[in-house]
Amino acid sequence: MAQWAQVQYLSTQTLSELYPSTFPMDVRCYLANWIEEQCWDEIMLDSPEREARALSLLDQIISFLQAIAQDNPNVVERMRLLHISRNMNMYRSQPLQLVMTVQEILQKERALLSQTVHPPAPSPLPEMSMPLVGAQRDAGNRDVDLLVLKVLEIQNCRQQIHQLQEELNWERENFESVQVSQSNGLDPKTLEQVNKLQNHIQQLEFNGQVIAKKRVQLLQEAVVSLEQCQSRLIHQIKSWRREQHLATIGAPFDDNLGPLQTWCEQLLGVNVKLRQEVIIMGRDWAGAESITELQERLGLLLQTLIQSSLMVDKQPPQVIKTQSKFSTTVRYLLGEKVAPGKPVLLKAQIITEAQARNLGQLGTIPTENVGELINNTAILEHNTSTKSTCATFRNMSIKKIKRADRKGSESVTEEKFALLFSTEISITGCDTPYRIQMISLPIVVIVHGSQDNNALATIIWDCAFSEPDRIPFVVPERVPWKQMCATLDSKFRSEVQTQRSLDRYNQHFLAQKIFDKPDFSGDFSNMLVSWAQFNKEVLPGRSFTFWQWFDGVMELTKKHLKSYWSDGLIFGFIGKQHLHLILQDRPNGTFLLRFSDSEIGGITIAYVAPTDNGGRKIQNIQPFTKKDLEIRCLGDRIRDIELITHVYPDLPKNDFFKKYYTDDPLPYSHGYIGVSIQTKVVAGESASSPSSIVPRSETPQDTHIRPQYPSGPLYPNLPQFQPHYPPDMEVPGVPYPDPLSISPFSVSDMAPNNPAPENEMELEDFLDPDIYKMPQ
């Protein structure tokens, strides 16, 4: 089939001109391997029997096409193949014409290939590839097609042996009758007849032995091919399950099981036919060691295929609260091959991590009950429209759970369980029933909603950093930051439902935060972050962990800031040092939106404001939380605050936030005057001194002429401030005072008239003004 594999790279026009209507390309494709194995040139040289051999090849082609058509699930393709097989009968009157046609096609292919430079062979598939996509699906189909052809060859050999045996029996009978009739002596004519019969019998015996050896060889080759093909199938099943697991953190996932189901059904059909051929051959070769070995190998392949075809199509929630309902769906890929009769009842039970590790031996079911499941049985039902066989657990619930003894500081939200689905199933064509089972992805069982966040952290860590073929449910204690960073970015985009990623500035600040290195400006990529840093130890000076803080930002962004983030209006994660770097030379009223690092789920506005002595200072408005934004959206709050005029670097806020403004005035109702809520910044009310900046010597004076800015993200990759913060820049550690805390709400007539703090410091009072000068 090597020649056909290269021919496929030829242009469509060349291929269409290469194959005549009497021998369409479909025949060349489906029978590629068989066609290239035949000795077409020798047939034309064998003058006495060449027509008979050509006719035999024609019969095989027609038989192969009909068999492939019957196994093809695509009705259009099936009808086309049957139509082609009928048209091939036109060669019956001139079978040698078929041979010459194939010879000519093969010669033209070789000539074209010698003139064509082909692309390099594709590299091996990556370990975590998407299952059955594009070339993989085609490769799987070709493997099965080749297996079907091998089975047809084996069946053809069997039929030839049967015909030879019948002819041999007949000739032996004739030979014995001649000997009996001429018991008193043989005349020359009879002697010649006897010698001819004897030679023919010897030739038939020799031909039978040759075909029998070929049959055994074909059977052995077919079993090897089946093992290789099924190994690829099992790999694709594991890849599908792995991709389903990674979907928890937002990885792409194609949940279509149709191609895998077709592959399973085809391999089952091939296995059953090969087992039948081995059994038939075993009658002729009783006690042969090779036959017994083939039977054992096919039996093991069959058992593996039947047990690997049980899939958790729709996983249960990975964080489950006791006494709450949830659903899950289990699918059996060989559902159409299940023996009719008694319905198949699937049972679910909850198992611990230790019990999951002991499931290595197939068929074993844990006896210790660690939890009570309600509505834990479902019947496998076949859906004719989707051709799927599923058991759906619609109202399952965990009534109670038995905890294991915890070690050290381990929390209940770190304990992992799983659901085990099991049943006994009988397959059509198989003598004995099989015990099949499959476990779900790991789950964490909680008893109160307050545990949900920490439980989710356990699931995220398990999903992102587990190995594909791990022992359940082993995960590393530490992982490189680059893996953690990719996980956070993928989860953020998936949770918020946005295409905008966390840029390198956001990622650098996150690294500074989780490692507690606010002054470090180097590369964090290969630094190891531990589970404790992720969600056991609270952040310095805070009452929450890194994950709790990050999850709060995701929740706020998903519910209230998705469009702002996707449009690039939110700077995001940024430290105070970096904030001062990019705002230090901006005019008064310049602002940016950043996520609060002092509380969970808050977004704040940092802006440049004037000082009493003509300088400038950076103010941070008290963070807006989910509750605040439910009362008044972020766009309206930005419109309300007159102190902020241009979003960083120098873009008019009304040009970019206008679409988020809403009409506040409420209509009169029942005699009452409508009211509206507005955000007001109360100047001078601070818990600590704001950071001040030296007045700039040169400030743009013409505020009427501004460039036109296109819509879209303002800083998707932050090109505007790259000159201020290049990747290789050493960011100095500066002890900035705490940001000013300003209440986002006030009523003007009730606001106290507090004077500005007398100890407000200029930046030059405690910082070298040359510290932020950029290298030339």
Side-chain angles (χ1 to χ4, degrees), residues 308-500:
S308 300
S309 298
L310 189 64
M311 310 283 284
V312 184
D313 190 8
K314 305 297 181 186
Q315 290 284 344
Q318 290 192 260
V319 177
I320 301 177
K321 183 175 175 292
T322 56
Q323 309 293 337
S324 63
K325 294 180 181 180
F326 63 92
S327 63
T328 183
T329 301
V330 178
R331 179 169 173 174
Y332 192 54
L333 300 183
L334 293 175
E336 293 189 347
K337 308 299 181 181
V338 174
K342 184 179 178 181
V344 179
L345 184 68
L346 212 65
K347 181 181 179 181
Q349 68 181 95
I350 191 165
I351 59 174
T352 64
E353 183 173 339
Q355 289 174 327
R357 293 177 185 176
N358 295 329
L359 289 175
Q361 188 173 5
L362 291 171
T364 59
I365 302 296
T367 55
E368 183 183 0
N369 188 9
V370 298
E372 184 178 345
L373 280 176
I374 300 175
N375 299 323
N376 65 330
T377 59
I379 294 176
L380 272 178
E381 298 177 319
H382 183 69
N383 187 319
T384 54
S385 62
T386 61
K387 295 185 178 180
S388 60
T389 303
C390 300
T392 302
F393 300 80
R394 291 181 175 83
N395 294 296
M396 200 184 299
S397 177
I398 301 177
K399 186 176 180 180
K400 60 181 180 180
I401 192 71
K402 179 181 178 182
R403 303 284 184 183
D405 294 334
R406 292 185 292 278
K407 301 177 181 178
S409 60
E410 186 179 0
S411 166
V412 294
T413 57
E414 298 176 60
E415 186 177 6
K416 287 176 277 191
F417 297 88
L419 295 182
L420 172 65
F421 304 95
S422 60
T423 189
E424 191 175 82
I425 201 164
S426 297
I427 301 296
T428 302
C430 302
D431 301 330
T432 58
Y434 291 85
R435 168 65 60 175
I436 59 175
Q437 60 188 29
M438 177 52 56
I439 63 171
S440 70
L441 295 177
I443 62 174
V444 176
V445 181
I446 62 175
V447 297
H448 193 275
S450 61
Q451 298 172 316
D452 183 82
N453 184 275
N454 291 329
L456 183 58
T458 300
I459 294 300
I460 296 296
W461 188 278
D462 180 273
C463 168
F465 310 125
S466 60
E467 295 295 329
D469 294 320
R470 62 169 174 178
I471 299 172
F473 296 110
V474 175
V475 289
E477 182 62 28
R478 296 175 180 272
V479 296
W481 167 250
K482 57 186 175 184
Q483 284 185 250
M484 170 63 73
C485 190
T487 298
L488 294 175
D489 178 62
S490 178
K491 182 62 177 175
F492 188 91
R493 285 185 288 109
S494 172
E495 195 71 18
V496 178
Q497 293 295 296
T498 180
Q499 296 299 316
R500 183 189 169 198

